[in-house]
Amino acid sequence: MRRPRTPYSEALRTGGVLAPFTATVVGRLPLSMAPLGVLLLVQTIHGSYSVAGLVTGAFALGTAVGGPWWGSTLDGQPHGRVVLCTSLASSLALASLAVAVVDRQGLVLLLALAATAGLTFPPFGPAMRETWRRGLDQDGLRSAGFALDAVAVETIFVAGPLLLSLFVVRTPAVVPLLVTAALLVGGGIGYSVNPVVRGQGRRRPSSGEQDGASDLRGSARSRRAPWLRPVAGASWRPWRRRPGRGRRSMSDGGVPPTWGTAGMLPLLTVAVAMSVGFGHIDTSLAATANRALGQPADLGWLFTAIAGGSAIGGLLYGLRRPPWQEHRRLPRLLAGFGLGLVPLPLLLCLDNPPLWALMCALLLAGLSIAPTLIISQNVVDRLSHPRRVSEAQSWLSTAGTTGSAAGTATAGLLVDRFGISWSFAGAVAAAAAACCAAALGQASWSAALKQGPARP
């Protein structure tokens, strides 16, 4: 007797999404491997955590700046072309950075290469979300696909550092970063050449975007090579004004900018606050393994606990069909996230905190992470204009990256000056701030979702 298919297996068997999904998982592994690989390589060669922190920060700053721009580009250009070009550029910058560090080049060059690698990092997340949206036409399967994507991201942030640690132990210092670059370009190529991805990002021009000379322009375009033909209604020069158009804020026929969309700023505030908590947790766990437990190898168990809880929560949430008002669940989920973290600063006050107790608290706290991320992405889809969906998702990713970087820096200061308990307390405070922001944003989200996205 055949077993009934789960929504997850059905989603992966539908629309040919399995191959591009696998490619994006491989391509997104460097998202967790690159910062750690840069940090370890620079510290090993230069012997300074301050220099390593500056170079790693340049990479994070580059991803925060480049994310929204590439997301905006996805809304008008073929996704395969964007992902391929960015993956090639970012992997080349990472490999060049590895060589420059080994050659003991100056700090200015290292910062420039790290920032370039981050600035050109491929927008795998928004691109894959559009693949789920196009390949799965049923709401239940689409929700399962989004849940799988969120769980994959959580798994990446555990598997990536573990994979990197294997190369750190067994190979020369430069190899882990070169492997990271290879995974990045491999995932980008695997995604971009997939037939399912072809046509993503192409939108039909409206009648207002055509004029009397369209036939002449069309005949000229038809003689160009396929990779040189511009997409209808799009341009590789987004900063260049077109005739009859105003500034970029109104360049899409009156569509407001993403950050000006009703309800978007409260959601980005929630994302920043929650990600500050993530940054505190990452730094606190590393300090816990090294100082409190005295076993650096236990760091893997701690990360596995919180990521495993998030994966379980995401898979369970994905089995349910999300309601239209699912944003009302955000305050409760964030409250659960904060309450799960409360025992951690108390346990770290003990001389020998038990590993099993720390893992249990992290597991409970992690149950709310993936559902919160899934809801946030769904609300962004519903708030944003159809022409700005990928850009809006990139802004959400940028808010997460910025908050995580700020949390990591703040947590490092707290650990050095006051102890690990205070760093975990900072994570609790960040979760509480995110919960309050989500509660305050309910009215604006309900009104915006009831009205629908602004259309030209």
Side-chain angles (χ1 to χ4, degrees), residues 79-382:
H79 288 191
R81 182 192 297 173
V82 175
V83 170
L84 178 61
C85 293
T86 51
S87 61
L88 290 173
S90 185
S91 60
L92 179 61
L94 277 178
S96 301
L97 175 62
V99 175
V101 172
V102 173
D103 288 344
R104 297 184 178 273
Q105 297 294 326
L107 179 59
V108 175
L109 179 60
L110 301 185
L111 293 175
L113 289 173
T116 302
L119 190 65
T120 57
F121 196 88
F124 283 117
M128 187 60 215
R129 192 169 181 85
E130 182 65 19
T131 302
W132 291 117
R133 191 180 294 110
R134 289 182 176 235
L136 307 177
D137 55 357
Q138 299 180 23
D139 290 340
L141 293 182
R142 192 175 297 159
S143 299
F146 291 161
L148 277 174
D149 205 63
V151 170
V153 172
E154 293 299 316
T155 305
I156 283 166
F157 278 92
V158 175
L162 290 178
L163 179 62
L164 192 76
S165 64
L166 294 178
F167 288 102
V168 168
V169 173
R170 299 177 180 271
T171 63
V174 71
V175 172
L177 201 55
L178 294 178
V179 171
T180 302
L183 290 173
L184 180 59
V185 70
I189 293 175
Y191 177 83
S192 59
V193 301
N194 193 275
V196 178
V197 179
R198 295 175 185 172
Q200 280 188 200
R202 298 176 183 268
R203 61 179 179 87
R204 295 179 179 177
S206 61
S207 57
E209 293 175 335
Q210 298 177 353
D211 55 27
S214 60
D215 293 336
L216 294 176
R217 288 200 305 267
S219 62
R221 287 188 185 118
S222 64
R223 292 191 295 269
R224 298 180 186 177
W227 54 86
L228 295 178
R229 294 174 191 165
V231 180
S235 172
W236 274 106
R237 300 184 179 91
W239 58 85
R240 184 178 175 184
R241 290 192 191 179
R242 299 179 192 167
R245 301 293 181 95
R247 293 182 178 269
R248 190 188 184 285
S249 61
M250 293 299 177
S251 63
D252 284 339
V255 181
T258 297
W259 49 265
T261 303
M264 191 65 69
L265 282 180
L267 190 61
L268 295 178
T269 303
V270 172
V272 169
M274 188 176 183
S275 298
V276 168
F278 293 159
H280 273 264
I281 291 171
D282 291 345
T283 304
S284 303
L285 291 182
T288 299
N290 289 322
R291 299 184 181 182
L293 300 177
Q295 296 290 337
D298 288 340
L299 179 61
W301 292 109
L302 298 175
F303 271 115
T304 300
I306 190 168
S310 179
I312 293 172
L315 290 173
L316 292 177
Y317 187 83
L319 293 175
R320 306 176 61 182
R321 184 173 182 177
W324 181 253
Q325 298 288 332
E326 65 176 334
H327 61 273
R328 297 188 182 277
R329 296 175 176 174
L330 279 178
R332 286 175 288 175
L333 287 170
L334 290 167
F337 175 56
L339 290 174
L341 295 174
V342 167
L344 294 173
L346 302 178
L347 289 171
L348 266 298
C349 292
L350 303 176
D351 292 334
N352 295 303
L355 177 61
W356 65 268
L358 295 172
M359 292 182 63
C360 289
L362 291 169
L363 180 69
L364 291 175
L367 290 172
S368 301
I369 294 178
T372 302
L373 299 178
I374 294 170
I375 292 175
S376 299
Q377 292 171 344
N378 290 343
V379 174
V380 165
D381 281 347
R382 293 166 183 166

Side-chain angles (χ1 to χ4, degrees), residues 396-420:
L396 186 64
S397 300
T398 294
T401 302
T402 305
S404 180
T408 300
T410 306
L413 295 175
L414 291 175
V415 169
D416 287 337
R417 296 190 178 186
F418 302 104
I420 306 173

